[in-house]
PDB file of all heavy atoms in Angstrom:
ATOM      1  N   ASN A 265       0.864  -1.190   0.000  1.00  0.00           N
ATOM      2  CA  ASN A 265       0.000   0.000   0.000  1.00  0.00           C
ATOM      3  C   ASN A 265       0.894   1.232   0.000  1.00  0.00           C
ATOM      4  O   ASN A 265       1.438   1.626   1.035  1.00  0.00           O
ATOM      5  CB  ASN A 265      -0.899  -0.001   1.231  1.00  0.00           C
ATOM      6  CG  ASN A 265      -1.905   1.131   1.225  1.00  0.00           C
ATOM      7  OD1 ASN A 265      -1.949   1.962   0.292  1.00  0.00           O
ATOM      8  ND2 ASN A 265      -2.741   1.201   2.255  1.00  0.00           N
ATOM      9  N   PRO A 266       1.085   1.864  -1.154  1.00  0.00           N
ATOM     10  CA  PRO A 266       1.962   3.038  -1.211  1.00  0.00           C
ATOM     11  C   PRO A 266       1.491   4.183  -0.327  1.00  0.00           C
ATOM     12  O   PRO A 266       2.312   4.985   0.141  1.00  0.00           O
ATOM     13  CB  PRO A 266       1.942   3.435  -2.682  1.00  0.00           C
ATOM     14  CG  PRO A 266       1.532   2.184  -3.416  1.00  0.00           C
ATOM     15  CD  PRO A 266       0.600   1.479  -2.489  1.00  0.00           C
ATOM     16  N   ALA A 267       0.213   4.266  -0.059  1.00  0.00           N
ATOM     17  CA  ALA A 267      -0.302   5.373   0.750  1.00  0.00           C
ATOM     18  C   ALA A 267      -0.001   5.175   2.226  1.00  0.00           C
ATOM     19  O   ALA A 267       0.336   6.132   2.934  1.00  0.00           O
ATOM     20  CB  ALA A 267      -1.808   5.525   0.528  1.00  0.00           C
ATOM     21  N   ASP A 268      -0.123   3.981   2.726  1.00  0.00           N
ATOM     22  CA  ASP A 268       0.132   3.691   4.146  1.00  0.00           C
ATOM     23  C   ASP A 268       0.780   2.308   4.240  1.00  0.00           C
ATOM     24  O   ASP A 268       0.114   1.310   4.525  1.00  0.00           O
ATOM     25  CB  ASP A 268      -1.183   3.754   4.922  1.00  0.00           C
ATOM     26  CG  ASP A 268      -0.972   3.569   6.425  1.00  0.00           C
ATOM     27  OD1 ASP A 268       0.194   3.703   6.866  1.00  0.00           O
ATOM     28  OD2 ASP A 268      -1.951   3.272   7.129  1.00  0.00           O
ATOM     29  N   GLN A 269       2.066   2.265   3.955  1.00  0.00           N
ATOM     30  CA  GLN A 269       2.759   0.978   3.855  1.00  0.00           C
ATOM     31  C   GLN A 269       3.192   0.478   5.239  1.00  0.00           C
ATOM     32  O   GLN A 269       3.838   1.182   6.005  1.00  0.00           O
ATOM     33  CB  GLN A 269       3.999   1.098   2.959  1.00  0.00           C
ATOM     34  CG  GLN A 269       4.728  -0.206   2.745  1.00  0.00           C
ATOM     35  CD  GLN A 269       3.856  -1.206   2.000  1.00  0.00           C
ATOM     36  OE1 GLN A 269       3.385  -0.927   0.891  1.00  0.00           O
ATOM     37  NE2 GLN A 269       3.606  -2.346   2.617  1.00  0.00           N
ATOM     38  N   GLY A 270       2.780  -0.726   5.552  1.00  0.00           N
ATOM     39  CA  GLY A 270       3.254  -1.423   6.746  1.00  0.00           C
ATOM     40  C   GLY A 270       4.068  -2.650   6.340  1.00  0.00           C
ATOM     41  O   GLY A 270       3.644  -3.432   5.485  1.00  0.00           O
ATOM     42  N   ILE A 271       5.207  -2.800   6.927  1.00  0.00           N
ATOM     43  CA  ILE A 271       6.099  -3.913   6.516  1.00  0.00           C
ATOM     44  C   ILE A 271       6.426  -4.849   7.682  1.00  0.00           C
ATOM     45  O   ILE A 271       7.392  -5.617   7.620  1.00  0.00           O
ATOM     46  CB  ILE A 271       7.412  -3.370   5.920  1.00  0.00           C
ATOM     47  CG1 ILE A 271       8.160  -2.532   6.952  1.00  0.00           C
ATOM     48  CG2 ILE A 271       7.146  -2.573   4.654  1.00  0.00           C
ATOM     49  CD1 ILE A 271       9.557  -2.147   6.500  1.00  0.00           C
ATOM     50  N   GLN A 272       5.611  -4.829   8.739  1.00  0.00           N
ATOM     51  CA  GLN A 272       5.918  -5.677   9.881  1.00  0.00           C
ATOM     52  C   GLN A 272       5.932  -7.156   9.515  1.00  0.00           C
ATOM     53  O   GLN A 272       6.858  -7.880   9.895  1.00  0.00           O
ATOM     54  CB  GLN A 272       4.919  -5.408  11.016  1.00  0.00           C
ATOM     55  CG  GLN A 272       5.235  -6.194  12.284  1.00  0.00           C
ATOM     56  CD  GLN A 272       4.262  -5.860  13.409  1.00  0.00           C
ATOM     57  OE1 GLN A 272       3.306  -5.074  13.208  1.00  0.00           O
ATOM     58  NE2 GLN A 272       4.501  -6.425  14.572  1.00  0.00           N
ATOM     59  N   PRO A 273       4.949  -7.684   8.777  1.00  0.00           N
ATOM     60  CA  PRO A 273       5.036  -9.096   8.386  1.00  0.00           C
ATOM     61  C   PRO A 273       6.284  -9.401   7.558  1.00  0.00           C
ATOM     62  O   PRO A 273       6.902 -10.452   7.718  1.00  0.00           O
ATOM     63  CB  PRO A 273       3.749  -9.318   7.589  1.00  0.00           C
ATOM     64  CG  PRO A 273       2.818  -8.279   8.075  1.00  0.00           C
ATOM     65  CD  PRO A 273       3.672  -7.086   8.359  1.00  0.00           C
ATOM     66  N   LEU A 274       6.648  -8.468   6.683  1.00  0.00           N
ATOM     67  CA  LEU A 274       7.848  -8.692   5.880  1.00  0.00           C
ATOM     68  C   LEU A 274       9.102  -8.684   6.758  1.00  0.00           C
ATOM     69  O   LEU A 274      10.039  -9.470   6.536  1.00  0.00           O
ATOM     70  CB  LEU A 274       7.938  -7.625   4.801  1.00  0.00           C
ATOM     71  CG  LEU A 274       9.128  -7.749   3.837  1.00  0.00           C
ATOM     72  CD1 LEU A 274       9.070  -9.076   3.082  1.00  0.00           C
ATOM     73  CD2 LEU A 274       9.149  -6.580   2.868  1.00  0.00           C
ATOM     74  N   GLU A 275       9.140  -7.809   7.749  1.00  0.00           N
ATOM     75  CA  GLU A 275      10.281  -7.782   8.665  1.00  0.00           C
ATOM     76  C   GLU A 275      10.376  -9.087   9.449  1.00  0.00           C
ATOM     77  O   GLU A 275      11.478  -9.587   9.729  1.00  0.00           O
ATOM     78  CB  GLU A 275      10.159  -6.593   9.615  1.00  0.00           C
ATOM     79  CG  GLU A 275      10.375  -5.247   8.931  1.00  0.00           C
ATOM     80  CD  GLU A 275      10.156  -4.093   9.883  1.00  0.00           C
ATOM     81  OE1 GLU A 275       9.506  -4.316  10.936  1.00  0.00           O
ATOM     82  OE2 GLU A 275      10.612  -2.969   9.584  1.00  0.00           O
ATOM     83  N   GLN A 276       9.213  -9.633   9.826  1.00  0.00           N
ATOM     84  CA  GLN A 276       9.234 -10.917  10.538  1.00  0.00           C
ATOM     85  C   GLN A 276       9.801 -12.032   9.657  1.00  0.00           C
ATOM     86  O   GLN A 276      10.503 -12.921  10.137  1.00  0.00           O
ATOM     87  CB  GLN A 276       7.819 -11.271  10.996  1.00  0.00           C
ATOM     88  CG  GLN A 276       7.243 -10.305  12.022  1.00  0.00           C
ATOM     89  CD  GLN A 276       5.802 -10.625  12.376  1.00  0.00           C
ATOM     90  OE1 GLN A 276       5.245 -11.624  11.920  1.00  0.00           O
ATOM     91  NE2 GLN A 276       5.174  -9.753  13.164  1.00  0.00           N
ATOM     92  N   VAL A 277       9.507 -11.940   8.366  1.00  0.00           N
ATOM     93  CA  VAL A 277      10.052 -12.944   7.454  1.00  0.00           C
ATOM     94  C   VAL A 277      11.544 -12.738   7.257  1.00  0.00           C
ATOM     95  O   VAL A 277      12.336 -13.675   7.304  1.00  0.00           O
ATOM     96  CB  VAL A 277       9.308 -12.897   6.109  1.00  0.00           C
ATOM     97  CG1 VAL A 277       9.997 -13.789   5.082  1.00  0.00           C
ATOM     98  CG2 VAL A 277       7.856 -13.309   6.290  1.00  0.00           C
ATOM     99  N   LEU A 278      11.937 -11.480   7.035  1.00  0.00           N
ATOM    100  CA  LEU A 278      13.352 -11.203   6.787  1.00  0.00           C
ATOM    101  C   LEU A 278      14.224 -11.455   8.013  1.00  0.00           C
ATOM    102  O   LEU A 278      15.447 -11.587   7.898  1.00  0.00           O
ATOM    103  CB  LEU A 278      13.523  -9.756   6.318  1.00  0.00           C
ATOM    104  CG  LEU A 278      12.894  -9.418   4.970  1.00  0.00           C
ATOM    105  CD1 LEU A 278      13.092  -7.950   4.636  1.00  0.00           C
ATOM    106  CD2 LEU A 278      13.493 -10.300   3.873  1.00  0.00           C
ATOM    107  N   ALA A 279      13.619 -11.504   9.190  1.00  0.00           N
ATOM    108  CA  ALA A 279      14.408 -11.805  10.394  1.00  0.00           C
ATOM    109  C   ALA A 279      15.017 -13.203  10.338  1.00  0.00           C
ATOM    110  O   ALA A 279      16.020 -13.477  11.014  1.00  0.00           O
ATOM    111  CB  ALA A 279      13.532 -11.651  11.633  1.00  0.00           C
ATOM    112  N   TRP A 280      14.449 -14.094   9.538  1.00  0.00           N
ATOM    113  CA  TRP A 280      14.946 -15.477   9.433  1.00  0.00           C
ATOM    114  C   TRP A 280      15.880 -15.671   8.233  1.00  0.00           C
ATOM    115  O   TRP A 280      16.246 -16.814   7.914  1.00  0.00           O
ATOM    116  CB  TRP A 280      13.765 -16.439   9.265  1.00  0.00           C
ATOM    117  CG  TRP A 280      12.865 -16.510  10.466  1.00  0.00           C
ATOM    118  CD1 TRP A 280      11.822 -15.690  10.749  1.00  0.00           C
ATOM    119  CD2 TRP A 280      12.956 -17.441  11.537  1.00  0.00           C
ATOM    120  NE1 TRP A 280      11.231 -16.050  11.927  1.00  0.00           N
ATOM    121  CE2 TRP A 280      11.914 -17.141  12.442  1.00  0.00           C
ATOM    122  CE3 TRP A 280      13.797 -18.514  11.825  1.00  0.00           C
ATOM    123  CZ2 TRP A 280      11.705 -17.854  13.597  1.00  0.00           C
ATOM    124  CZ3 TRP A 280      13.579 -19.233  12.991  1.00  0.00           C
ATOM    125  CH2 TRP A 280      12.555 -18.902  13.861  1.00  0.00           C
ATOM    126  N   LYS A 281      16.270 -14.584   7.562  1.00  0.00           N
ATOM    127  CA  LYS A 281      17.041 -14.736   6.332  1.00  0.00           C
ATOM    128  C   LYS A 281      18.401 -15.392   6.563  1.00  0.00           C
ATOM    129  O   LYS A 281      18.951 -16.032   5.663  1.00  0.00           O
ATOM    130  CB  LYS A 281      17.230 -13.383   5.661  1.00  0.00           C
ATOM    131  CG  LYS A 281      18.093 -12.405   6.464  1.00  0.00           C
ATOM    132  CD  LYS A 281      18.260 -11.089   5.721  1.00  0.00           C
ATOM    133  CE  LYS A 281      19.156 -10.130   6.508  1.00  0.00           C
ATOM    134  NZ  LYS A 281      19.356  -8.853   5.800  1.00  0.00           N
ATOM    135  N   SER A 282      18.991 -15.267   7.768  1.00  0.00           N
ATOM    136  CA  SER A 282      20.300 -15.882   8.022  1.00  0.00           C
ATOM    137  C   SER A 282      20.228 -17.406   8.067  1.00  0.00           C
ATOM    138  O   SER A 282      21.261 -18.079   7.982  1.00  0.00           O
ATOM    139  CB  SER A 282      20.887 -15.355   9.338  1.00  0.00           C
ATOM    140  OG  SER A 282      20.043 -15.689  10.422  1.00  0.00           O
ATOM    141  N   PHE A 283      19.020 -17.967   8.193  1.00  0.00           N
ATOM    142  CA  PHE A 283      18.867 -19.420   8.258  1.00  0.00           C
ATOM    143  C   PHE A 283      18.619 -20.026   6.880  1.00  0.00           C
ATOM    144  O   PHE A 283      18.503 -21.252   6.775  1.00  0.00           O
ATOM    145  CB  PHE A 283      17.712 -19.794   9.193  1.00  0.00           C
ATOM    146  CG  PHE A 283      17.991 -19.472  10.634  1.00  0.00           C
ATOM    147  CD1 PHE A 283      17.611 -18.256  11.174  1.00  0.00           C
ATOM    148  CD2 PHE A 283      18.659 -20.381  11.449  1.00  0.00           C
ATOM    149  CE1 PHE A 283      17.865 -17.956  12.503  1.00  0.00           C
ATOM    150  CE2 PHE A 283      18.918 -20.088  12.772  1.00  0.00           C
ATOM    151  CZ  PHE A 283      18.523 -18.868  13.306  1.00  0.00           C
ATOM    152  N   PHE A 284      18.474 -19.186   5.850  1.00  0.00           N
ATOM    153  CA  PHE A 284      18.220 -19.686   4.501  1.00  0.00           C
ATOM    154  C   PHE A 284      19.234 -19.069   3.545  1.00  0.00           C
ATOM    155  O   PHE A 284      19.723 -17.954   3.756  1.00  0.00           O
ATOM    156  CB  PHE A 284      16.802 -19.340   4.031  1.00  0.00           C
ATOM    157  CG  PHE A 284      15.715 -19.895   4.904  1.00  0.00           C
ATOM    158  CD1 PHE A 284      15.129 -19.120   5.896  1.00  0.00           C
ATOM    159  CD2 PHE A 284      15.282 -21.204   4.732  1.00  0.00           C
ATOM    160  CE1 PHE A 284      14.134 -19.626   6.699  1.00  0.00           C
ATOM    161  CE2 PHE A 284      14.285 -21.718   5.532  1.00  0.00           C
ATOM    162  CZ  PHE A 284      13.706 -20.928   6.525  1.00  0.00           C
ATOM    163  N   LYS A 285      19.502 -19.784   2.494  1.00  0.00           N
ATOM    164  CA  LYS A 285      20.345 -19.230   1.446  1.00  0.00           C
ATOM    165  C   LYS A 285      19.581 -18.152   0.691  1.00  0.00           C
ATOM    166  O   LYS A 285      18.346 -18.172   0.618  1.00  0.00           O
ATOM    167  CB  LYS A 285      20.783 -20.330   0.484  1.00  0.00           C
ATOM    168  CG  LYS A 285      21.843 -21.250   1.068  1.00  0.00           C
ATOM    169  CD  LYS A 285      22.383 -22.184   0.011  1.00  0.00           C
ATOM    170  CE  LYS A 285      23.521 -23.018   0.579  1.00  0.00           C
ATOM    171  NZ  LYS A 285      24.122 -23.906  -0.444  1.00  0.00           N
ATOM    172  N   PRO A 286      20.291 -17.181   0.117  1.00  0.00           N
ATOM    173  CA  PRO A 286      19.594 -16.103  -0.624  1.00  0.00           C
ATOM    174  C   PRO A 286      18.696 -16.627  -1.736  1.00  0.00           C
ATOM    175  O   PRO A 286      17.637 -16.043  -2.013  1.00  0.00           O
ATOM    176  CB  PRO A 286      20.744 -15.264  -1.182  1.00  0.00           C
ATOM    177  CG  PRO A 286      21.874 -15.496  -0.228  1.00  0.00           C
ATOM    178  CD  PRO A 286      21.738 -16.923   0.218  1.00  0.00           C
ATOM    179  N   SER A 287      19.103 -17.755  -2.357  1.00  0.00           N
ATOM    180  CA  SER A 287      18.272 -18.301  -3.432  1.00  0.00           C
ATOM    181  C   SER A 287      16.931 -18.792  -2.909  1.00  0.00           C
ATOM    182  O   SER A 287      15.887 -18.614  -3.550  1.00  0.00           O
ATOM    183  CB  SER A 287      19.011 -19.440  -4.126  1.00  0.00           C
ATOM    184  OG  SER A 287      19.334 -20.468  -3.185  1.00  0.00           O
ATOM    185  N   VAL A 288      16.926 -19.416  -1.721  1.00  0.00           N
ATOM    186  CA  VAL A 288      15.668 -19.900  -1.139  1.00  0.00           C
ATOM    187  C   VAL A 288      14.791 -18.727  -0.718  1.00  0.00           C
ATOM    188  O   VAL A 288      13.571 -18.699  -0.970  1.00  0.00           O
ATOM    189  CB  VAL A 288      15.968 -20.834   0.049  1.00  0.00           C
ATOM    190  CG1 VAL A 288      14.667 -21.276   0.710  1.00  0.00           C
ATOM    191  CG2 VAL A 288      16.782 -22.033  -0.405  1.00  0.00           C
ATOM    192  N   MET A 289      15.401 -17.740  -0.057  1.00  0.00           N
ATOM    193  CA  MET A 289      14.630 -16.567   0.340  1.00  0.00           C
ATOM    194  C   MET A 289      14.104 -15.829  -0.889  1.00  0.00           C
ATOM    195  O   MET A 289      12.982 -15.283  -0.875  1.00  0.00           O
ATOM    196  CB  MET A 289      15.511 -15.639   1.183  1.00  0.00           C
ATOM    197  CG  MET A 289      14.778 -14.476   1.806  1.00  0.00           C
ATOM    198  SD  MET A 289      13.448 -14.961   2.955  1.00  0.00           S
ATOM    199  CE  MET A 289      14.397 -15.693   4.276  1.00  0.00           C
ATOM    200  N   GLY A 290      14.881 -15.814  -1.968  1.00  0.00           N
ATOM    201  CA  GLY A 290      14.408 -15.192  -3.203  1.00  0.00           C
ATOM    202  C   GLY A 290      13.192 -15.893  -3.765  1.00  0.00           C
ATOM    203  O   GLY A 290      12.245 -15.243  -4.261  1.00  0.00           O
ATOM    204  N   GLU A 291      13.175 -17.228  -3.737  1.00  0.00           N
ATOM    205  CA  GLU A 291      11.999 -17.970  -4.207  1.00  0.00           C
ATOM    206  C   GLU A 291      10.765 -17.613  -3.393  1.00  0.00           C
ATOM    207  O   GLU A 291       9.652 -17.504  -3.932  1.00  0.00           O
ATOM    208  CB  GLU A 291      12.278 -19.474  -4.110  1.00  0.00           C
ATOM    209  CG  GLU A 291      13.239 -20.003  -5.145  1.00  0.00           C
ATOM    210  CD  GLU A 291      12.612 -20.019  -6.519  1.00  0.00           C
ATOM    211  OE1 GLU A 291      11.367 -19.998  -6.600  1.00  0.00           O
ATOM    212  OE2 GLU A 291      13.350 -20.049  -7.510  1.00  0.00           O
ATOM    213  N   LEU A 292      10.983 -17.434  -2.083  1.00  0.00           N
ATOM    214  CA  LEU A 292       9.849 -17.053  -1.232  1.00  0.00           C
ATOM    215  C   LEU A 292       9.301 -15.690  -1.641  1.00  0.00           C
ATOM    216  O   LEU A 292       8.072 -15.498  -1.761  1.00  0.00           O
ATOM    217  CB  LEU A 292      10.303 -17.038   0.228  1.00  0.00           C
ATOM    218  CG  LEU A 292       9.283 -16.513   1.254  1.00  0.00           C
ATOM    219  CD1 LEU A 292       8.057 -17.414   1.295  1.00  0.00           C
ATOM    220  CD2 LEU A 292       9.923 -16.430   2.637  1.00  0.00           C
ATOM    221  N   LEU A 293      10.156 -14.727  -1.867  1.00  0.00           N
ATOM    222  CA  LEU A 293       9.709 -13.383  -2.257  1.00  0.00           C
ATOM    223  C   LEU A 293       9.069 -13.391  -3.637  1.00  0.00           C
ATOM    224  O   LEU A 293       8.059 -12.691  -3.875  1.00  0.00           O
ATOM    225  CB  LEU A 293      10.896 -12.416  -2.221  1.00  0.00           C
ATOM    226  CG  LEU A 293      11.515 -12.174  -0.839  1.00  0.00           C
ATOM    227  CD1 LEU A 293      12.742 -11.286  -0.955  1.00  0.00           C
ATOM    228  CD2 LEU A 293      10.499 -11.565   0.118  1.00  0.00           C
ATOM    229  N   VAL A 294       9.623 -14.150  -4.558  1.00  0.00           N
ATOM    230  CA  VAL A 294       9.049 -14.227  -5.907  1.00  0.00           C
ATOM    231  C   VAL A 294       7.653 -14.820  -5.862  1.00  0.00           C
ATOM    232  O   VAL A 294       6.751 -14.423  -6.622  1.00  0.00           O
ATOM    233  CB  VAL A 294       9.988 -15.037  -6.827  1.00  0.00           C
ATOM    234  CG1 VAL A 294       9.293 -15.359  -8.148  1.00  0.00           C
ATOM    235  CG2 VAL A 294      11.274 -14.266  -7.077  1.00  0.00           C
ATOM    236  N   ALA A 295       7.439 -15.759  -4.965  1.00  0.00           N
ATOM    237  CA  ALA A 295       6.138 -16.426  -4.902  1.00  0.00           C
ATOM    238  C   ALA A 295       5.089 -15.594  -4.175  1.00  0.00           C
ATOM    239  O   ALA A 295       3.907 -15.592  -4.554  1.00  0.00           O
ATOM    240  CB  ALA A 295       6.301 -17.784  -4.232  1.00  0.00           C
ATOM    241  N   GLU A 296       5.491 -14.856  -3.104  1.00  0.00           N
ATOM    242  CA  GLU A 296       4.491 -14.214  -2.252  1.00  0.00           C
ATOM    243  C   GLU A 296       4.564 -12.686  -2.240  1.00  0.00           C
ATOM    244  O   GLU A 296       3.546 -12.025  -2.034  1.00  0.00           O
ATOM    245  CB  GLU A 296       4.648 -14.733  -0.812  1.00  0.00           C
ATOM    246  CG  GLU A 296       4.525 -16.227  -0.672  1.00  0.00           C
ATOM    247  CD  GLU A 296       3.152 -16.747  -1.079  1.00  0.00           C
ATOM    248  OE1 GLU A 296       2.197 -15.935  -1.151  1.00  0.00           O
ATOM    249  OE2 GLU A 296       3.022 -17.951  -1.324  1.00  0.00           O
ATOM    250  N   PHE A 297       5.713 -12.105  -2.451  1.00  0.00           N
ATOM    251  CA  PHE A 297       5.820 -10.638  -2.370  1.00  0.00           C
ATOM    252  C   PHE A 297       5.678  -9.971  -3.731  1.00  0.00           C
ATOM    253  O   PHE A 297       4.868  -9.036  -3.906  1.00  0.00           O
ATOM    254  CB  PHE A 297       7.165 -10.267  -1.736  1.00  0.00           C
ATOM    255  CG  PHE A 297       7.512  -8.818  -1.876  1.00  0.00           C
ATOM    256  CD1 PHE A 297       6.900  -7.848  -1.085  1.00  0.00           C
ATOM    257  CD2 PHE A 297       8.433  -8.385  -2.835  1.00  0.00           C
ATOM    258  CE1 PHE A 297       7.214  -6.493  -1.230  1.00  0.00           C
ATOM    259  CE2 PHE A 297       8.747  -7.043  -2.979  1.00  0.00           C
ATOM    260  CZ  PHE A 297       8.146  -6.095  -2.181  1.00  0.00           C
ATOM    261  N   PHE A 298       6.430 -10.398  -4.700  1.00  0.00           N
ATOM    262  CA  PHE A 298       6.477  -9.692  -5.977  1.00  0.00           C
ATOM    263  C   PHE A 298       5.157  -9.723  -6.758  1.00  0.00           C
ATOM    264  O   PHE A 298       4.851  -8.748  -7.468  1.00  0.00           O
ATOM    265  CB  PHE A 298       7.630 -10.230  -6.839  1.00  0.00           C
ATOM    266  CG  PHE A 298       8.968  -9.650  -6.447  1.00  0.00           C
ATOM    267  CD1 PHE A 298       9.863 -10.391  -5.714  1.00  0.00           C
ATOM    268  CD2 PHE A 298       9.298  -8.347  -6.795  1.00  0.00           C
ATOM    269  CE1 PHE A 298      11.091  -9.856  -5.350  1.00  0.00           C
ATOM    270  CE2 PHE A 298      10.527  -7.809  -6.439  1.00  0.00           C
ATOM    271  CZ  PHE A 298      11.429  -8.560  -5.701  1.00  0.00           C
ATOM    272  N   PRO A 299       4.348 -10.788  -6.675  1.00  0.00           N
ATOM    273  CA  PRO A 299       3.043 -10.674  -7.364  1.00  0.00           C
ATOM    274  C   PRO A 299       2.206  -9.511  -6.848  1.00  0.00           C
ATOM    275  O   PRO A 299       1.569  -8.776  -7.635  1.00  0.00           O
ATOM    276  CB  PRO A 299       2.390 -12.029  -7.089  1.00  0.00           C
ATOM    277  CG  PRO A 299       3.540 -12.954  -6.907  1.00  0.00           C
ATOM    278  CD  PRO A 299       4.583 -12.145  -6.199  1.00  0.00           C
ATOM    279  N   LYS A 300       2.202  -9.314  -5.518  1.00  0.00           N
ATOM    280  CA  LYS A 300       1.461  -8.188  -4.949  1.00  0.00           C
ATOM    281  C   LYS A 300       2.115  -6.862  -5.332  1.00  0.00           C
ATOM    282  O   LYS A 300       1.432  -5.886  -5.674  1.00  0.00           O
ATOM    283  CB  LYS A 300       1.385  -8.320  -3.430  1.00  0.00           C
ATOM    284  CG  LYS A 300       0.614  -9.538  -2.952  1.00  0.00           C
ATOM    285  CD  LYS A 300       0.584  -9.595  -1.425  1.00  0.00           C
ATOM    286  CE  LYS A 300      -0.217 -10.811  -0.949  1.00  0.00           C
ATOM    287  NZ  LYS A 300      -0.279 -10.881   0.531  1.00  0.00           N
ATOM    288  N   TRP A 301       3.417  -6.814  -5.303  1.00  0.00           N
ATOM    289  CA  TRP A 301       4.138  -5.563  -5.600  1.00  0.00           C
ATOM    290  C   TRP A 301       3.961  -5.157  -7.066  1.00  0.00           C
ATOM    291  O   TRP A 301       3.711  -3.986  -7.370  1.00  0.00           O
ATOM    292  CB  TRP A 301       5.617  -5.792  -5.259  1.00  0.00           C
ATOM    293  CG  TRP A 301       6.470  -4.574  -5.437  1.00  0.00           C
ATOM    294  CD1 TRP A 301       6.641  -3.553  -4.552  1.00  0.00           C
ATOM    295  CD2 TRP A 301       7.273  -4.255  -6.578  1.00  0.00           C
ATOM    296  NE1 TRP A 301       7.498  -2.610  -5.047  1.00  0.00           N
ATOM    297  CE2 TRP A 301       7.911  -3.017  -6.314  1.00  0.00           C
ATOM    298  CE3 TRP A 301       7.501  -4.878  -7.799  1.00  0.00           C
ATOM    299  CZ2 TRP A 301       8.770  -2.408  -7.225  1.00  0.00           C
ATOM    300  CZ3 TRP A 301       8.358  -4.262  -8.696  1.00  0.00           C
ATOM    301  CH2 TRP A 301       8.990  -3.055  -8.421  1.00  0.00           C
ATOM    302  N   LEU A 302       4.039  -6.116  -7.987  1.00  0.00           N
ATOM    303  CA  LEU A 302       3.865  -5.824  -9.404  1.00  0.00           C
ATOM    304  C   LEU A 302       2.422  -5.396  -9.708  1.00  0.00           C
ATOM    305  O   LEU A 302       2.176  -4.530 -10.577  1.00  0.00           O
ATOM    306  CB  LEU A 302       4.259  -7.041 -10.243  1.00  0.00           C
ATOM    307  CG  LEU A 302       5.750  -7.385 -10.276  1.00  0.00           C
ATOM    308  CD1 LEU A 302       5.981  -8.705 -11.025  1.00  0.00           C
ATOM    309  CD2 LEU A 302       6.546  -6.256 -10.951  1.00  0.00           C
TER     310      LEU A 302
END
């Protein structure tokens, strides 16, 4: 939501990024974040 953007759920996800390889975390974002963003 460009007007009132909240990123708390995304921050909760990114908090676990050290436990996954960047390629795995990228697949997660491609599947769930980028469709909404595009």
Side-chain angles (χ1 to χ4, degrees):
N265 185 359
D268 184 16
Q269 183 64 57
I271 61 171
Q272 184 178 3
L274 182 61
E275 290 176 341
Q276 295 176 5
V277 172
L278 295 178
W280 294 86
K281 66 179 182 179
S282 61
F283 292 92
F284 301 96
K285 286 188 175 183
S287 59
V288 177
M289 188 61 67
E291 287 289 340
L292 174 64
L293 295 176
V294 169
E296 302 297 342
F297 167 76
F298 280 103
K300 296 180 179 181
W301 183 83
L302 290 174

